[in-house]
Amino acid sequence: MLPSEYTRIFMTGATGYIGGTVMSALLSNPKNDTFEITALIRSAEKAPLFHSIGIKTVIGSNSDLDTLTSLASEADVVIAAADVGDLNAAKAILGGLKKQHEQTKKVPILIHTSGTGVLADLADGNFTADKIYSDLDIPKIETLPKSQPLREIDLEVVAADEEGYVRTYIIFPSTIYGIANTLLVSLGVQNRHSIQIPRLIKAGLARGQGGVIGKGLSLWPSIHIDDIATLYTTVFDAATEGPDETGHGREGFYFGENGEYSMGELSQAVAKLLFEIGRGKNPEATVFTDEELDKYFGIIGRLMGSNSRACAERGRLIGWNPAHNVNSLYASLKPEIEEIVAKQTT
């Protein structure tokens, strides 16, 4: 096979919870033998493990802007899954893709990671919002102000598509759950855990009692880690087939959700499980104080107490079929707690 027949893929975040799962899914793609994958990783010690499965590596991070630009300029597809709130990194990647277009006249692909936090309000757990966003309703999404979390970066990515030097696709994961179990996990190079639910569990363990943000009335969508990975690969497959296979740019928003949960019900479930293992004083969740929110959650506390209501329709139109629902979310809590407790006691 000639080198020109390879799809050159550059990925950031390959050792992360999302990126590592997406990378593992790509390695299972039927067209994997036509991929030439390069990962930007921080640890030189992990490089040989990536090399053992055919992944090239460059040592660096999202703060190495020249490296991001250089690697993006040499890729047919960039999958950005690291430090998704880093505007400078996003601009560096777009700069590299633009440089490539100017030199070759080709139109490379960017699959960028955002999040349904862009839809968040300021509920602080105290009310349920009525507004639900579909990823097919672009005019409604475009009413979101630039001040929303990650929105400024999303707009930068869309603008690049409109300029014509890159085709952009943005994935919006919601609350991701489930312990990752992938090839990269088996190699010891990938983070296995999400952020939001483990943070809630760790806060409950630290205070000796499961807690809830405000009245627990806020609602969020959720998605299993394996299902968000298949959304990436579904979009990847469609994008690499050609520009007419699925929406990109302004119409390239892909929400990742399969069911909605109440923060109050989730918090109560965590509190009950902590009580059952003797790590909570009461099976009923108690309200986190402002001091506890700052201590255990920081800025994520405001996000977790918000409403973020999303309907993922665009991905389903191109064949994405998530296998796990909200029942799987609640089933994931016990093993998550058990693993966190085991790590704290060893």
Side-chain angles (χ1 to χ4, degrees), residues 115-139:
T116 64
V118 72
L119 311 176
D121 58 20
L122 299 176
D124 293 326
N126 293 320
F127 63 84
T128 300
D130 294 328
K131 187 177 290 187
I132 302 174
Y133 293 83
S134 163
D135 52 12
L136 292 177
D137 191 346
I138 302 305

Side-chain angles (χ1 to χ4, degrees), residues 129-316:
D130 294 328
K131 187 177 290 187
I132 302 174
Y133 293 83
S134 163
D135 52 12
L136 292 177
D137 191 346
I138 302 305
K140 189 171 184 176
I141 293 173
E142 290 180 339
T143 66
L144 292 168
K146 193 175 183 178
S147 58
Q148 285 292 100
L150 305 177
R151 181 66 175 155
E152 185 177 8
I153 302 174
D154 295 344
L155 292 173
E156 195 83 21
V157 171
V158 170
D161 186 285
E162 290 175 348
E163 286 188 42
Y165 65 83
V166 60
R167 279 192 281 125
T168 65
Y169 306 79
I170 307 180
I171 309 291
F172 293 78
S174 52
T175 295
I176 313 176
Y177 63 89
I179 299 171
N181 183 20
T182 70
L183 173 60
L184 269 66
V185 166
S186 69
L187 290 174
V189 298
Q190 179 190 343
N191 170 34
R192 302 182 69 203
H193 300 276
S194 187
I195 296 174
Q196 289 166 286
I197 292 174
R199 189 72 63 91
L200 182 66
I201 293 168
K202 290 175 182 177
L205 288 167
R207 72 199 288 262
Q209 173 62 49
V212 62
I213 298 173
K215 297 178 181 178
L217 296 177
S218 54
L219 298 175
W220 261 73
S222 61
I223 192 69
H224 191 277
I225 182 60
D226 292 341
D227 288 331
I228 198 66
T230 61
L231 177 58
Y232 278 84
T233 55
T234 300
V235 171
F236 172 89
D237 287 342
T240 52
E241 283 294 319
D244 299 326
E245 294 301 313
T246 188
H248 58 90
R250 180 175 178 265
E251 296 184 351
F253 288 25
Y254 297 82
F255 291 163
E257 65 79 25
N258 195 34
E260 192 174 60
Y261 68 93
S262 154
M263 179 54 71
E265 291 178 1
L266 177 70
S267 299
Q268 293 291 354
V270 169
K272 183 174 183 291
L273 288 167
L274 292 179
F275 176 76
E276 289 174 355
I277 64 171
R279 299 296 296 270
K281 303 179 187 71
N282 193 293
E284 297 295 321
T286 60
V287 179
F288 289 113
T289 65
D290 290 341
E291 292 76 15
E292 286 176 326
L293 287 174
D294 289 339
K295 179 179 180 180
Y296 299 125
F297 299 96
I299 192 172
I300 293 177
R302 173 54 64 90
L303 196 64
M304 289 178 66
S306 69
N307 291 284
S308 171
R309 307 193 66 185
C311 184
E313 297 185 275
R314 191 176 296 275
R316 288 178 168 91

Side-chain angles (χ1 to χ4, degrees), residues 12-154:
T12 66
T15 61
Y17 180 61
I18 297 175
T21 308
V22 173
M23 176 75 81
S24 297
L26 281 175
L27 293 173
S28 298
N29 190 294
K31 296 182 179 179
N32 175 50
D33 62 347
T34 68
F35 299 163
E36 181 182 278
I37 305 176
T38 300
L40 182 68
I41 63 172
R42 290 186 176 92
S43 171
E45 294 178 356
K46 293 181 179 180
L49 296 169
F50 278 94
H51 300 163
S52 73
I53 54 172
I55 307 299
K56 296 181 178 181
T57 59
V58 174
I59 308 305
S61 70
N62 258 23
S63 62
D64 298 314
L65 301 183
D66 289 343
T67 301
L68 288 174
T69 298
S70 176
L71 292 171
S73 73
E74 298 170 352
D76 300 306
V77 182
V78 175
I79 302 175
D83 300 328
V84 297
D86 190 332
L87 178 60
N88 288 331
K91 287 182 175 180
I93 289 171
L94 290 170
L97 294 168
K98 187 173 187 178
K99 179 180 178 181
Q100 179 190 160
H101 175 70
E102 290 171 347
Q103 292 177 345
T104 69
K105 304 307 178 185
K106 294 179 180 179
V107 181
I109 292 166
L110 170 62
I111 300 176
H112 177 75
T113 304
S114 182
T116 64
V118 72
L119 311 176
D121 58 20
L122 299 176
D124 293 326
N126 293 320
F127 63 84
T128 300
D130 294 328
K131 187 177 290 187
I132 302 174
Y133 293 83
S134 163
D135 52 12
L136 292 177
D137 191 346
I138 302 305
K140 189 171 184 176
I141 293 173
E142 290 180 339
T143 66
L144 292 168
K146 193 175 183 178
S147 58
Q148 285 292 100
L150 305 177
R151 181 66 175 155
E152 185 177 8
I153 302 174
D154 295 344

